[in-house]
Amino acid sequence: QVQLVESGGGLVQAGGSLRLSCLVSGRTFSSYAMGWFRQAPGKEREFVAAISWSGGNTIYADSMKGRFTISRDNAKSTGYLQMSRLEPEDTAVYYCAAKTTNFYRRTDDPSEYADWGQGTQVTVSS
């Protein structure tokens, strides 16, 4: 079984930056793709970005393009989400997840991801 642990969340002012990390254990990290999702109170879980097992392919939600960057370090079994120019609307719990199916198969669908972290809170103040 895969364990994913997010870290790096916190309180930041609008316009600021944060880098989230996702440490993975229990399976060869490089064998699957990874995604980031977020969920604000009262809203459905929303796709943020995903990265292929090699790191060579990435997909972003339109509203995150140019502000967020997903990356991974397979040697450290860690994935990252660099967030910049944060807005109050970015306030949410952010989750990382592991995807074993084809990278391009419904990449923005949470049901395609088999394992999830517990989430880390990101709060952006205005």
Side-chain angles (χ1 to χ4, degrees), residues 29-30 53-55 72-78:
F29 181 62
S30 60
W53 68 270
S54 68
R72 65 191 293 163
D73 185 338
N74 287 345
K76 296 182 178 180
S77 296
T78 302

Side-chain angles (χ1 to χ4, degrees), residues 1 4 17 19 25-27 32 36 38-39 41 44 57-59 72 76 82-85 92 94 112 123 125:
Q1 187 175 353
L4 299 93
S17 299
R19 188 176 80 157
S25 61
R27 185 186 293 168
Y32 50 85
W36 286 92
R38 69 185 186 184
Q39 189 165 19
E44 293 187 352
N57 298 285
T58 57
I59 298 174
R72 65 191 293 163
K76 296 182 178 180
Q82 177 68 49
M83 305 184 295
S84 60
R85 304 202 310 274
Y94 284 71
E112 284 291 307
T123 302
S125 63

Side-chain angles (χ1 to χ4, degrees), residues 2-3 8 17 22 28 35 43 45-46 51 54 62-63 71-72 78-79 101 105-106 116-117 121:
V2 178
Q3 293 81 41
S17 299
C22 177
T28 303
K43 295 187 177 181
R45 193 161 295 191
E46 177 186 24
I51 188 166
S54 68
D62 287 343
S63 61
S71 62
R72 65 191 293 163
T78 302
T101 57
R105 169 177 158 169
R106 301 199 300 267
W116 293 79
Q121 176 71 47

